Amino acid sequence: LALLDESDLQGARKILKIAWKQPTRFDFEHRIRLPHGRFKYIHTRGESYLDEKGRLTKMRGTIQDITLRKSSE
C-alpha cells in the first residue's frame, strides 16, 4: 500500500478491509508511484481466506502492469 497513489489509496484500503474480514474475491485497478516519480497502472486480482474463527489466514492473487493498455485508452 505504500506505493499506491494518494487518490487510489482510500478505495484500495476499503476493498482490502472487506477482504480481511470475510472470505471474498477482489478485483481492482490502481496506480503506483515509482521512486523516480513516474506512475504505473496496476490491475490487482485475488481472494482472501479466513479460518473458522474468522481470522485471515491467507490472501493470494496476482498483480499485472496495465500501463500500456491504460495509455492507449
Side-chain angles (χ1 to χ4, degrees), residues 1-13 16 28-33 39 42 44:
L1 292 175
L3 295 178
L4 261 66
D5 184 60
E6 286 283 325
S7 61
D8 297 330
L9 187 58
Q10 185 175 358
R13 279 186 174 154
L16 293 174
F28 61 99
E29 294 180 0
H30 54 90
R31 291 172 294 166
I32 60 170
R33 183 182 297 267
F39 287 97
I42 304 296
T44 298

Side-chain angles (χ1 to χ4, degrees), residues 12-27:
R13 279 186 174 154
K14 184 177 180 180
I15 291 167
L16 293 174
K17 190 173 185 177
I18 292 168
W20 290 328
K21 292 182 178 183
Q22 63 189 39
T24 190
R25 291 186 175 167
F26 49 90
D27 188 331

Side-chain angles (χ1 to χ4, degrees), residues 27-71:
D27 188 331
F28 61 99
E29 294 180 0
H30 54 90
R31 291 172 294 166
I32 60 170
R33 183 182 297 267
L34 301 174
H36 48 71
R38 286 187 34 227
F39 287 97
K40 284 202 177 266
Y41 287 88
I42 304 296
H43 180 207
T44 298
R45 179 181 297 159
E47 54 192 316
S48 61
Y49 300 88
L50 281 68
D51 65 15
E52 62 282 344
K53 293 182 179 180
R55 295 178 298 204
L56 180 68
T57 58
K58 176 171 53 171
M59 290 181 96
R60 69 175 185 179
T62 61
I63 59 169
Q64 181 179 13
D65 182 348
I66 57 170
T67 305
L68 289 176
R69 186 191 85 193
K70 293 297 266 187
S71 65

